[in-house]
Amino acid sequence: MSLVDDLVPHMRHVLCAERDLRDLGLLWQMIEATSAIACPDEAEAVLPMLTRTRARFASLQSRLVRQLGSESLAALDDELSSSAQCTIDILVRNLYERTADVGFLATDAVLRAFCAAAARGPADPAAVLRRLGEYRAKYSVYDDVVLLAPDGRVLLRLEEGSATSLVAEPLVADALAGRGFVERFGPSALAAGGADVLLYAHRIDGEGGRCVGVLVLRFRLADEMRRVFDSVLQTGRHVALVLLDAQDRVIASADEAHIPLGARLQAAAAGEVGLTAFGGREYLSVTRAGAGFQGYPGPGWRAHAMVSLLSAFSGRDDGPADAALAPDTAELARLRAELDAINADLRRVVWNGRLAAGAQQQASARLKALLGQVQEAGRRTRDRVDEAIGELQRSALGRLRHQAQDMARLAADIMDRSLYERANDCRWWALSPVLERVLAAPPAAAAEAELGAVLAHVNSLYTVYTRLVAFRVDGTVCALSHEDEGEPLVGSRVEAGLLNTTLALADSQRYAVTPFAGSALSGGVPTYVYSAAVRDGQRRVVGGVAAVFDAARELQAMLRDVLGERAGIAAFVDAEGRVLASTDAELAAGSTLPAALAPGLAEYRGSTWAVSAVRADGYREFKRGDGYDNRVRALVALRLGESERRATCLQDIAVQALPPAQRDATCSYALFTTGAGRFGLPVAAVVEARPRDGLVRARLGTPHALGLTEVPAGNGAIVIPVLCARSLFGVAYPPRAADGVLLVLTLPGRNGRPLVGLWVDEVLSVVDSGTEHLRPVPEGLRSHSPLLAGLLRLQAEADTEVLAQILDANSVWALAAMAGTAPAMTPAGAAATASTPAHAD
């Protein structure tokens, strides 16, 4: 058995559908058995159809139940996978920034000088402590910064602690042996009680490349994971979300009372949903590894999302789904086509049976009763299968809408986390002694060249910026990381808005951001420019440093990473609806978001989309406690694809004759549909309704002719011309895929001999109507519709009256006779089977 088969007993809605469909199968068996016993002669022509219909519905039932189970499991898989993947991807992106931080801070001149001085003897730590305090205040993801001597002794530490040496920890040896960052998670003397902590280390080199110390940053992992879990867990279902190390040990948990730290879990295999056990209970779980970022693979951890099997399939309401908008997967399309085919065959056989009942007056009562039971069973089966298919559509649509919501939330979170780092960077760089020294002194070419080299080096490490710019208090650009071709920026002035907001910053914790627009510093490309004030030793502002964010590249990369290979659109949009970045070429930066792409279900470019928009409302103190808000939304639109619009069809609306004034003054009519109209012919003019195969295309001299077909006649067969009702009645739009029935017509006095075929959309009903309900054709309508013999009043659902247009059989035959003598049939085996025609050839 497959996993779906094992889980179906836990899916209440699937069990309910299975029970209903099984009961309907028993109903078909009962009708079949009763017919064979009570009226075998009358049911002789109907019994084979009953057997075939029961078998086809049984096959459809098993496929439906399995598809309902598969869709339920897929929806749960999406939910768990999204939670796990978002958790690990957000964390890996965050930790990537930490690898850059520790490497850059290890080159800080103040820290290098302190470590070099400490190697010669006692050094004053006060200034360095203040500097590291400034760093932690800006990069609030760290709770401790430690400087070590090459022998592992603690030279300086922000947090008070008893640790005096880390020489025994592998972290120190690894940092001393390498030239890059070292990432280590595990017990450490830097944590109370030697608890597990996440540390980043880098050697500090002095003059001549000689190692003078080791820098260690302690990451606030528990605090960060709480924020990630809170961001990701937006569902009402109780999903347990944890972080696992390589040994499947829990190192972070969204609910430690449920799954404590240190517990070992059974990881799900292959990144897909699987049945696992923990604490004596069964869970459905998904385990996801990070995708990596910018070549950084992460620490090798995985996110694990799990939900109890007891509550895994408790209903999540996906809301109503318009069948015209809901997506049709390949399997759904096959199920729908099979249902349509069964219903069409059932309607045709019942319709033919009612025709036959009119010819067998003695047996008509029993046969009509049997056909009524068959028709009612068919209606109930169709309605329940339709309901099940609708449930599948709602689930498929709900999955896409939840995916769009999750992706938009992830994009907003990624953007805020990235821009948080940008606000931190400019404030930290403003504390650079080189910047302070150059900007506080009179202009000097050599000093400004030195500063330009420093900015270029920093920009080479932090490639998310187009350029870094240093400017004096009068706004003059004195150095930058690189120039573009064209007018040089050095010596020019920064824009007044950027200058004034930067100089007005109250302290080193403040930063400024320009509106999203182009400027000379960005080469005219719309972006954000982050800036901070540079102060001298007396805290006087001597200039500023600006970081020009490479929005065109970075925002696009964020959106592409979130959207992946899915068919859709991802964009960042401001409060005025202006597009900042988009994965769609037609929604270029600076354009206005089309009104059609509003959250919800949208019709856009001839397709249906599931659209979600999530406001980027900040990360940590960024945009939450610093007074800044760029009022940006992340928008994701997933294309649902083209789906057939399935409005209620006329054949799905039952009609019956109005009560006759006199029972002996009635006439029987065979009703059918074409386009949006109901039509009918006297029963005496109709031989039978046949399937839509067997038509041979031929031009017969009239624009309404489709071709020829061979039909039974007596003990042999005869070839008759076929007319297209859609052409006759001026129906210009195409039919549905399931439409198409051939009515074989005759004339009174021809002994039921087939004379002409009429291709219609679908048969409807056979009714016995009082003659008083047939109205004459209005004169204005008769001139436009010469085939009409009258308008028949009928009763539809909800006691409403409708009209059917009754055709004159002689007029139809006269039109067919215009085709002349029928040509010879195409040789056997060469005849083409016709698809449903949209118009006459």
Side-chain angles (χ1 to χ4, degrees):
M1 294 179 67
S2 67
L3 180 60
V4 173
D5 295 327
D6 290 338
L7 296 178
V8 163
H10 299 276
M11 303 174 181
R12 294 179 183 176
H13 67 292
V14 178
L15 292 177
C16 179
E18 184 178 36
R19 180 199 64 209
D20 291 348
L21 292 170
R22 185 175 60 249
D23 290 347
L24 288 170
L26 293 175
L27 176 62
W28 283 106
Q29 291 180 2
M30 184 183 68
I31 293 174
E32 185 180 355
T34 303
S35 303
I37 296 172
C39 50
D41 295 335
E42 296 87 340
E44 182 178 2
V46 180
L47 279 174
M49 177 274 298
L50 287 177
T51 302
R52 288 195 305 271
T53 301
R54 176 172 55 80
R56 292 173 73 181
F57 270 127
S59 173
L60 187 63
Q61 167 193 341
S62 63
R63 290 167 58 194
L64 265 175
V65 169
R66 180 168 183 81
Q67 188 64 21
L68 283 167
S70 298
E71 185 62 36
S72 295
L73 182 59
L76 181 67
D77 188 1
D78 282 351
E79 182 179 338
L80 297 179
S81 296
S82 174
S83 297
Q85 198 67 61
C86 285
T87 296
I88 193 63
D89 285 348
I90 289 173
L91 180 63
V92 168
R93 280 175 171 269
N94 190 314
L95 300 187
Y96 166 77
E97 298 283 353
R98 312 296 60 95
T99 66
D101 287 349
V102 71
F104 177 71
L105 187 57
T107 65
D108 184 76
V110 175
L111 302 190
R112 294 170 66 185
F114 174 80
C115 290
R120 298 189 295 269
D124 183 11
V128 181
L129 281 172
R130 284 195 299 272
R131 184 164 180 78
L132 293 183
E134 288 270 16
Y135 186 84
R136 184 174 63 177
K138 292 163 180 59
Y139 295 87
S140 56
V141 294
Y142 303 112
D143 56 10
D144 198 5
V145 183
V146 184
L147 292 178
L148 304 175
D151 60 4
R153 289 180 297 109
V154 175
L155 298 177
L156 181 148
R157 182 181 178 188
L158 273 181
E159 287 288 301
E160 293 183 1
S162 59
T164 60
S165 175
L166 301 182
V167 68
E169 298 194 7
L171 175 81
V172 178
D174 291 345
L176 292 172
R179 294 288 178 177
F181 74 90
V182 175
E183 181 181 60
R184 187 75 71 238
F185 177 78
S188 173
L190 293 181
D196 290 341
V197 288
L198 179 59
L199 302 175
Y200 289 86
H202 201 289
R203 62 180 282 163
I204 300 174
D205 290 336
E207 296 295 333
R210 181 176 60 87
C211 179
V212 296
V214 175
L215 169 69
V216 181
L217 302 179
R218 190 174 73 187
F219 183 66
R220 301 175 66 186
L221 180 62
D223 176 73
E224 178 61 19
M225 291 311 303
R226 177 181 58 79
R227 295 173 186 272
V228 173
F229 290 146
D230 288 347
S231 173
V232 170
L233 289 175
Q234 300 287 329
T235 177
R237 196 195 313 275
H238 185 71
V239 174
L241 190 56
V242 301
L243 196 63
L244 300 179
D245 64 11
Q247 289 73 44
D248 297 333
R249 186 171 59 98
V250 176
I251 56 178
S253 174
D255 185 355
E256 294 184 23
H258 182 194
I259 303 180
L261 299 182
R264 290 189 180 274
L265 296 183
Q266 179 184 358
E272 297 180 356
V273 64
L275 197 60
T276 60
F278 173 71
R281 294 183 179 179
E282 288 186 302
Y283 291 82
L284 285 170
S285 308
V286 169
T287 308
R288 287 297 181 94
F293 182 67
Q294 301 288 339
Y296 168 67
W301 299 337
R302 291 154 302 149
H304 182 82
M306 51 195 277
V307 62
S308 170
L309 186 57
L310 297 177
S311 60
F313 300 104
S314 55
R316 180 179 71 180
D317 185 12
D318 293 317
D322 185 346
L325 299 177
D328 267 340
T329 62
E331 180 60 22
L332 270 181
R334 286 191 289 268
L335 290 171
R336 177 71 73 179
E338 177 68 9
L339 175 63
D340 287 342
I342 294 174
N343 285 331
D345 288 349
L346 188 61
R347 278 193 296 267
R348 182 173 52 80
V349 173
V350 171
W351 199 80
N352 284 336
R354 290 190 179 277
L355 286 177
Q360 303 174 18
Q361 294 299 324
Q362 294 180 350
S364 64
R366 284 180 294 184
L367 183 57
K368 285 182 178 180
L370 168 62
L371 293 172
Q373 289 295 315
V374 171
Q375 191 171 31
E376 175 62 17
R379 183 192 65 77
R380 290 174 58 186
T381 305
R382 180 203 67 199
D383 290 348
R384 188 60 184 90
V385 174
D386 259 337
E387 183 182 338
I389 292 178
E391 186 175 340
L392 285 171
Q393 287 182 308
R394 284 192 299 276
S395 179
L397 178 59
R399 288 174 58 197
L400 282 172
R401 295 176 72 171
H402 283 289
Q403 285 177 14
Q405 179 76 9
D406 290 342
M407 293 163 65
R409 188 169 65 244
L410 177 60
D413 193 77
I414 288 174
M415 182 190 203
D416 277 338
R417 286 168 176 269
S418 176
L419 299 187
Y420 159 83
E421 303 289 346
R422 311 299 62 94
N424 295 345
D425 290 346
C426 70
R427 291 181 293 165
W428 175 247
W429 295 335
L431 300 178
S432 166
V434 179
L435 268 171
E436 176 189 339
R437 172 169 51 81
V438 174
L439 294 181
E448 292 175 354
E450 177 194 1
L451 179 55
V454 171
L455 295 179
H457 173 67
V458 174
N459 203 168
S460 70
L461 299 175
Y462 291 80
T463 57
V464 297
Y465 299 106
T466 302
R467 63 172 48 89
L468 307 180
V469 181
F471 55 90
R472 300 184 181 276
V473 288
D474 62 356
T476 302
V477 175
C478 66
L480 68 164
S481 56
H482 70 271
E483 290 270 22
D484 285 336
E485 295 181 2
E487 194 71 22
L489 289 173
V490 173
S492 67
R493 292 181 180 273
V494 300
E495 294 181 351
L498 172 63
L499 176 64
N500 293 336
T501 54
T502 304
L503 298 183
L505 295 173
D507 54 52
S508 62
Q509 277 298 100
R510 306 292 176 178
Y511 64 93
V513 189
T514 65
F516 193 86
S519 67
L521 296 182
S522 67
V525 178
T527 187
Y528 296 115
V529 178
Y530 290 80
S531 63
V534 178
R535 290 173 167 80
D536 62 13
Q538 285 72 46
R539 318 309 298 161
R540 294 176 302 184
V541 176
V542 295
V545 59
V548 183
F549 183 54
D550 191 353
R553 184 184 67 182
E554 296 300 321
L555 296 184
Q556 277 274 350
M558 295 176 198
L559 295 171
R560 285 196 301 269
D561 286 349
V562 168
L563 190 62
E565 299 300 320
R566 297 176 181 86
I569 299 170
F572 290 121
V573 185
D574 68 14
E576 286 71 41
R578 184 176 51 135
V579 175
L580 308 187
S582 166
T583 58
D584 188 87
E586 296 184 27
L587 297 179
S591 64
T592 300
L593 185 74
L597 286 179
L601 291 179
E603 290 288 333
Y604 180 59
R605 296 178 185 168
S607 298
T608 305
W609 306 71
V611 184
S612 181
V614 173
R615 181 172 175 175
D617 59 359
Y619 167 66
R620 291 187 177 271
E621 66 277 1
F622 175 67
K623 290 172 53 174
R624 294 180 176 176
D626 56 13
Y628 173 64
D629 186 0
N630 59 354
R631 302 170 66 201
V632 169
R633 293 173 298 146
L635 179 139
V636 171
L638 296 181
R639 185 175 179 273
L640 304 183
E642 304 295 339
S643 58
E644 184 177 353
R645 293 188 171 276
R646 303 186 62 87
T648 301
C649 301
L650 292 181
Q651 59 262 28
D652 293 333
I653 302 175
V655 295
Q656 58 186 6
L658 292 168
Q662 298 179 8
R663 290 190 175 275
D664 56 351
T666 61
C667 187
S668 298
Y669 298 98
L671 306 179
F672 58 91
T673 66
T674 297
R678 296 180 180 87
F679 300 88
L681 281 161
V683 165
V686 183
V687 178
E688 65 173 332
R690 295 182 61 79
R692 56 184 181 174
D693 54 355
L695 178 71
V696 177
R697 299 287 181 141
R699 296 191 178 277
L700 304 178
T702 172
H704 305 300
L706 283 176
L708 303 168
T709 192
E710 188 179 43
V711 298
N715 295 325
I718 189 173
V719 175
I720 60 174
V722 178
L723 301 180
C724 177
R726 281 181 163 259
S727 177
L728 285 172
F729 306 142
V731 180
Y733 54 86
R736 289 160 36 111
D739 289 342
V741 177
L742 178 65
L743 303 187
V744 181
L745 309 184
T746 186
L747 287 176
R750 296 297 183 98
N751 298 320
R753 178 180 176 83
L755 296 177
V756 63
L758 183 63
W759 193 292
V760 303
D761 284 356
E762 188 56 270
V763 294
L764 185 57
S765 182
V766 177
V767 298
D768 298 325
S769 177
T771 54
E772 71 276 10
H773 297 310
L774 182 65
R775 296 178 176 178
V777 180
E779 288 300 324
L781 181 60
R782 184 182 298 277
S783 60
H784 293 287
S785 304
L787 299 179
L788 292 187
L791 300 177
L792 182 65
R793 295 171 57 218
L794 298 166
Q795 181 175 312
E797 296 174 354
D799 295 329
T800 58
E801 283 194 13
V802 295
L803 293 176
Q805 303 174 61
I806 304 301
L807 307 182
D808 178 65
N810 289 295
S811 298
V812 174
W813 165 242
L815 191 62
M818 295 172 57
T821 303
M825 288 288 289
T826 304
T833 299
S835 61
T836 307
H839 52 76
D841 284 355

